[in-house]
Amino acid sequence: MFSTNEVLETINMVEREHLDIRTVTMGISLLPCIGGTAEKTAENVYDHICKRAEKIVKVTGDLSREYGIPIVNKRISITPASLICAPFADKSYLIGKALDNAAKAVGVDFLGGYSALVHKGMADYETEFIKSIPEVLASTDRLCSSVNIGSSKSGINMDAVRLMGEIVKQTAQKTADRDGFGCAKLVVFCNAVEDNPFMAGAFHGVGESGTVINVGVSGPGVVQHAIESIPNANLSDLAEMIKRTAFKITRAGQLIATEAAKRLNAEFGIVDLSLAPTPARGDSVAAILEEMGLESVGTHGTTACLAMLNDAVKKGGVMASSRVGGLSGAFIPVSEDIGMIEAAERGALCIDKLEAMTAVCSVGLDMIAVPGDTSASTISAIIADEAAIGMINNKTTAVRIIPAPDKKVGDEVNFGGLLGRAPVMPVHAEGAAKFIARGGLIPAPIHSNKN
C-alpha cells in the first residue's frame, strides 16, 4: 500500500521538518452509560471509558516506535455530555469529575466532550449544564468543553451567545491563579463537526458509531520547507507544491489511523489534515505565509495567502485519503504559533485581521488573550462576529479567548507546552451590550433553505 519512496520521504519529513501525528483521538459513545442516578451514571462513564481506551497509550506508543513517526497526543472524545447529564443536570459536575478521572486513569492528554449543542435553542437542562462549565473546568485537569451556538441551517442562538460571554468570564476568574487557563479548554462553535480530533473542541457526534479512531496530522514545517525549495515559483506552481506536500502528509496519517483502529478494535473514522502549529521554530503557519512573500503575517495580503494555503492543503489531503474529515486546513492559534506570537507582539497582527483570516481558514479566533477587564458582552460580541462568518459561509468557526485576569494590553500569559504563550491584545473600547442583550435568534441565511 505504501511504497519505499513514500516511507523514505516520511522519515525525512519527521527528522528535518517537524512532521508529526498531532493526535490519535478515540471517540467513544457514552449513551449506554446513562443510569438511574447521576452517581450511577458517573460510575458507568468511568468504567466504560477505562475499558474502551485502556490500550490507547500503549498502542500509539508501539506505532510511533514501529513507524518512526512521533505521535504527540493521545486523546478521547465523548458524546456531548449535556445529553448524558440531561436527567440530572444539577449534578453535571459529577460526570465531569468522572470524565477527568477516566482520562487520568488511561493516561490520555485530554478528554473532550463536556459539550452542549444549542444552536437553535436551549432546554432547561442544557442551560443548567452550561452554567456548570466554569466550576468543572476549574476543578479538572484534562477535561475540555465546547458549546455549539449556531449553524448555517438554524441561525445563531443569541441567548446562548450572551450566556457564553458570561461563562468565559467566569471560567477565567475561577482559574485566575493560572492566567485564566480554564478558557484554553473552552471553545464556542458555529457549525461544529462531529469527527474533530483536535482539542479543545472535540466531541463524539451522535451520528458516529460506538468507538472510532480519528487522527490529526500536522506538518507546517514540511509545507514551509517545500515552499522554500521553489523560491521564485508563481502562485499556481506554489499551490501545486503545497497540494503534493499535503498528499504526502495525509498518507502518513492514513497509515497510523488504519493501524490504530485495527489494534484498538475500533472503526477508522477520519484523517484531519490541519496544519496545527506549535510554539517551536520551524513549526509555524505564520512562517509559511511569510515564506510565500509577506514581510509579516498580519499585513495586507495575509488573507489571500492563507486562502490559497488552506485550499491547497484540502485538495492535497482529499486525494490521499477517502476519509479526510474533521476541520482539515490551517489553524491560526496565536499562543501556539511562534510567528503569530511575535507578529502580535510587534503590533503587526490584531484581532480584526485575525477575524478576517478566519473567513478562509480552519476554525476561528483561537487562543487569543485579551485584557482581564474585557466585559462579558464584548466577548459575546466577538463570538457573534465569528459565528456570523461561519453561518454565512457554511464553514466551521470558533472562539477560544482568554480574558486574562488582572492583565492589560502589553502583558503576557504563559501556559507552557503546546499551548504556548500569548501577548494580551487590545479589543475595541466601544461596547455592544445593547445588541447582545436583545437575545433571540439571528435567522439562518436564505441559502440554507435547500431541501
Side-chain angles (χ1 to χ4, degrees), residues 283-413:
D283 201 25
S284 163
V285 170
I288 296 173
L289 302 178
E290 290 169 358
E291 191 62 41
M292 291 169 72
L294 304 175
E295 286 190 11
S296 172
V297 67
T299 192
H300 306 295
T302 299
T303 306
C305 286
L306 184 58
M308 194 191 85
L309 172 65
N310 209 57
D311 178 67
V313 165
K314 287 178 182 287
K315 287 174 178 174
V318 167
M319 291 298 294
S321 172
S322 60
R323 294 196 176 187
V324 170
L327 299 166
S328 288
F331 288 172
I332 52 171
V334 173
S335 78
E336 299 172 16
D337 186 312
I338 186 62
M340 298 286 180
I341 293 168
E342 292 177 347
E345 286 176 335
R346 61 178 178 264
L349 185 63
C350 65
I351 291 179
D352 288 348
K353 186 60 177 180
L354 283 163
E355 182 182 300
M357 294 163 68
T358 64
V360 299
C361 76
S362 296
V363 198
L365 294 172
D366 196 15
M367 289 302 288
I368 293 171
V370 297
D373 61 0
T374 303
S375 68
S377 62
T378 293
I379 293 171
S380 292
I382 292 170
I383 293 169
D385 281 343
E386 269 304 300
I389 290 172
M391 176 184 71
I392 296 297
N393 291 290
N394 198 30
K395 69 182 294 291
T396 303
T397 53
V399 172
R400 186 162 49 147
I401 191 168
I402 301 102
D406 302 319
K407 301 278 186 177
K408 60 184 185 300
V409 174
D411 292 338
E412 180 182 272
V413 298

Side-chain angles (χ1 to χ4, degrees), residues 26-28 30 49 76-81 99 111-114 202-205:
M26 175 180 279
I28 304 173
L30 296 185
I49 292 173
I76 293 169
S77 63
I78 55 102
T79 310
L99 292 169
L111 186 151
Y114 197 77
F203 64 87
H204 184 72

Side-chain angles (χ1 to χ4, degrees), residues 122-334:
M122 288 186 293
D124 290 344
Y125 72 85
E126 290 168 324
T127 302
E128 189 77 22
F129 174 85
I130 290 172
K131 289 180 177 178
S132 74
I133 289 174
E135 182 60 39
V136 168
L137 291 184
S139 59
T140 55
D141 299 312
R142 306 186 189 188
L143 186 62
C144 295
S145 179
S146 61
V147 177
N148 192 59
I149 50 79
S151 75
S152 296
K153 193 70 176 176
S154 65
I156 302 173
N157 181 352
M158 290 300 292
D159 293 320
V161 169
R162 177 175 57 189
L163 177 58
M164 287 312 300
E166 297 167 359
I167 294 299
V168 169
K169 284 284 289 185
Q170 291 171 22
T171 303
Q173 289 299 326
K174 285 185 177 293
T175 53
D177 60 326
R178 291 169 283 166
D179 286 342
F181 173 69
C183 295
K185 303 188 293 173
L186 174 61
V187 184
V188 186
F189 276 117
C190 177
N191 288 323
V193 297
E194 295 190 332
D195 54 6
N196 167 25
F198 286 98
M199 299 296 167
F203 64 87
H204 184 72
V206 295
E208 300 284 320
S209 59
T211 309
V212 302
I213 293 296
N214 298 319
V215 167
V217 185
S218 183
V222 182
V223 174
Q224 182 185 350
H225 181 80
I227 296 172
E228 288 173 350
S229 70
I230 49 172
N232 299 315
N234 64 35
L235 292 176
S236 298
D237 292 339
L238 205 62
E240 286 300 314
M241 175 62 82
I242 295 170
K243 283 195 293 184
R244 289 197 296 269
T245 305
F247 178 92
K248 296 172 186 176
I249 296 170
T250 307
R251 293 285 280 176
Q254 174 92 3
L255 172 62
I256 295 298
T258 302
E259 284 298 313
K262 185 188 305 182
R263 298 184 191 190
L264 290 167
N265 193 29
E267 290 191 22
F268 167 30
I270 56 93
V271 176
D272 184 325
L273 177 62
S274 289
L275 297 181
T278 71
R281 294 201 180 277
D283 201 25
S284 163
V285 170
I288 296 173
L289 302 178
E290 290 169 358
E291 191 62 41
M292 291 169 72
L294 304 175
E295 286 190 11
S296 172
V297 67
T299 192
H300 306 295
T302 299
T303 306
C305 286
L306 184 58
M308 194 191 85
L309 172 65
N310 209 57
D311 178 67
V313 165
K314 287 178 182 287
K315 287 174 178 174
V318 167
M319 291 298 294
S321 172
S322 60
R323 294 196 176 187
V324 170
L327 299 166
S328 288
F331 288 172
I332 52 171
V334 173

Side-chain angles (χ1 to χ4, degrees), residues 8-21:
L8 292 175
E9 281 184 331
T10 300
I11 292 171
N12 183 62
M13 289 188 290
V14 169
E15 290 182 346
R16 301 182 183 181
E17 300 163 11
H18 296 276
L19 173 67
D20 59 50
I21 304 298

